[in-house]
Amino acid sequence: MNNQSKLENVNVTTLKNEKHTKASEAATLHKQRKLKKAGLFALFVGPAFLAFALIVLIPFFTGMYYAFTDWNGVTGNIKWVGLDNFTYLFTEDKQFQTSFWLTLRYTVVAIILTNGVGFGLALLVTRMLKTRNILRTVFFLPNLIGGLLLGFIWQFIFIKGFASIGQLTGLSFFKLSWLGDEKTAFWGIVIVSVWQGAGYIMLIYTAALQNVPQELLEAAKIDGANKWQTLRHITLPMVAPAVTVCLFLTISSSFKIFDVNLSLTNGGPFKSTEMLALNIYTEAFVNNRYGLGEAKALVFFIVVALITIIQVTYTKRKEIES
């Protein structure tokens, strides 16, 4: 009996050892798989994250530090000034305040016109027209032209082209000093920006309109709904996600307008059309007050971030309600 008990104990111990060995092998295999997945993830994501960190994250946090200094952007003398830059912005820097409200006004106008024109063009090119593919290309082409080049082209059009048309036709619209007057220069920037951006917005709305079920449109037509009722109660609710995206894109691009502003008016006449991005650039790289420019950029970032978050949250909520 003693020998049998000993044999049974040996068998139990052997089974326990085998189970423990298998569990250890399974744990090791699981760990190896996790390491392999982590390695593949690092291999694919690592270079992109490194580039993002070098180009975006490090300059962003470095700029946040400089916003609290009086660095001129050239010498190595950096003095910590705390909130002095921000106090100066909101109390003494009138040009910053003027540029801020001008940018806000421009953004509202550009958002409405760019989305309105883009949606109108999308409705046009989704019609069963023989030339719809050509029209899509023509409407999208301005978006491929760089902002600086576009500004110089339209500067020639406003100064030389419109003047020639005005002489030939006698129309006062073409005789206006488009870039020499504060009011018309503002609208000149709006015209160029809408002309450039509407084609891109058109593509997003076109994709959304093509996904609207034709059965719904046909049913509405049979029920006696006119085109406006169909657009308001069927088409617009169905393309609500595209509206959210387009509003986000136009808000972001309108607030950050720089190249068209620089090449078309350079902030003139007398800084009356100097948008916020151009004001920040001038402060940092022309006036050599880099710390103050970074303070303006930080305020600019916070304002744009808050506005876009509110916009996306609100439009997403409206999507769910509709």
Side-chain angles (χ1 to χ4, degrees), residues 109-167:
V109 174
I111 289 170
I112 294 171
L113 292 180
T114 304
N115 280 278
V117 174
F119 188 74
L121 294 177
L123 288 175
L124 178 64
V125 299
T126 50
R127 304 282 181 184
M128 297 305 291
L129 302 174
K130 292 182 179 180
T131 57
R132 63 181 181 275
N133 291 329
I134 298 174
L135 290 175
R136 289 180 189 178
T137 304
V138 171
F139 295 147
F140 182 72
L141 274 178
N143 191 259
L144 301 177
I145 305 174
L148 287 173
L149 181 60
L150 194 67
F152 288 124
I153 291 172
W154 272 91
Q155 187 182 78
F156 175 81
I157 293 172
F158 281 130
I159 295 173
K160 300 293 184 181
F162 277 21
S164 300
I165 296 173
Q167 289 177 355

Side-chain angles (χ1 to χ4, degrees), residues 30 36 38 42 77 99 102 107 109 121 123 143 154 166 170-171 187 200-202 208 224 252 269 272-273 282-283:
H30 180 68
K36 185 178 179 181
N77 298 323
S99 296
L102 177 67
T107 300
V109 174
L121 294 177
L123 288 175
N143 191 259
W154 272 91
L171 296 174
W187 287 106
Y200 183 73
I201 299 301
M202 174 201 70
S252 178
S272 61
T273 60
T282 304
E283 194 70 74

Side-chain angles (χ1 to χ4, degrees), residues 36-313:
K36 185 178 179 181
K37 286 182 180 180
L40 289 173
F41 180 80
L43 180 64
F44 286 104
V45 179
F49 179 77
L50 180 63
F52 179 76
L54 290 173
I55 297 171
V56 179
L57 292 181
I58 294 176
F60 176 75
F61 290 110
T62 305
M64 287 182 65
Y65 166 73
Y66 287 134
F68 298 92
T69 68
D70 66 347
W71 188 40
N72 62 8
V74 180
T75 64
N77 298 323
I78 303 174
K79 180 182 177 183
W80 182 267
V81 295
L83 298 174
D84 289 356
N85 288 333
F86 299 95
T87 304
Y88 175 78
L89 292 184
F90 295 108
T91 57
E92 299 181 39
D93 196 340
K94 301 300 180 184
Q95 185 56 46
F96 172 75
Q97 297 169 26
T98 302
S99 296
F100 181 86
W101 291 113
L102 177 67
T103 305
L104 192 62
R105 182 162 65 96
Y106 162 79
T107 300
V108 173
V109 174
I111 289 170
I112 294 171
L113 292 180
T114 304
N115 280 278
V117 174
F119 188 74
L121 294 177
L123 288 175
L124 178 64
V125 299
T126 50
R127 304 282 181 184
M128 297 305 291
L129 302 174
K130 292 182 179 180
T131 57
R132 63 181 181 275
N133 291 329
I134 298 174
L135 290 175
R136 289 180 189 178
T137 304
V138 171
F139 295 147
F140 182 72
L141 274 178
N143 191 259
L144 301 177
I145 305 174
L148 287 173
L149 181 60
L150 194 67
F152 288 124
I153 291 172
W154 272 91
Q155 187 182 78
F156 175 81
I157 293 172
F158 281 130
I159 295 173
K160 300 293 184 181
F162 277 21
S164 300
I165 296 173
Q167 289 177 355
L168 292 173
T169 61
L171 296 174
S172 59
F173 175 83
F174 295 103
K175 293 182 178 180
L176 295 172
S177 179
W178 276 94
L179 302 182
D181 182 77
E182 177 183 348
K183 294 180 180 179
T184 52
F186 171 81
W187 287 106
I189 296 173
V190 170
I191 290 170
V192 176
S193 300
V194 173
W195 186 77
Q196 182 187 29
Y200 183 73
I201 299 301
M202 174 201 70
L203 290 184
I204 300 174
Y205 282 130
T206 299
L209 288 170
Q210 288 177 338
N211 288 327
V212 176
Q214 293 298 315
E215 297 81 6
L216 288 177
L217 301 177
E218 292 173 0
K221 188 176 180 180
I222 293 171
D223 289 339
N226 56 37
K227 291 183 178 180
W228 167 247
Q229 291 172 330
T230 303
L231 177 66
R232 181 182 176 185
H233 298 290
I234 296 178
T235 305
L236 287 177
M238 294 295 292
V239 301
V243 174
T244 301
V245 173
C246 290
L247 285 177
F248 172 79
L249 292 174
T250 49
I251 287 173
S252 178
S253 61
S254 298
F255 263 111
K256 296 186 297 184
I257 182 173
F258 172 76
D259 42 10
V260 172
N261 189 197
L262 177 66
S263 57
L264 193 63
T265 66
N266 196 23
F270 304 109
K271 293 186 176 293
S272 61
T273 60
E274 187 178 74
M275 302 291 179
L276 204 50
L278 182 57
N279 179 260
I280 293 169
Y281 167 81
T282 304
E283 194 70 74
F285 300 107
V286 178
N287 299 338
N288 288 332
R289 293 195 288 188
Y290 194 85
L292 187 58
E294 284 292 349
K296 292 182 178 183
L298 183 57
V299 173
F300 185 36
F301 167 77
I302 293 171
V303 170
V304 175
L306 287 174
I307 291 174
T308 51
I309 289 170
I310 292 170
Q311 174 263 314
V312 171
T313 304

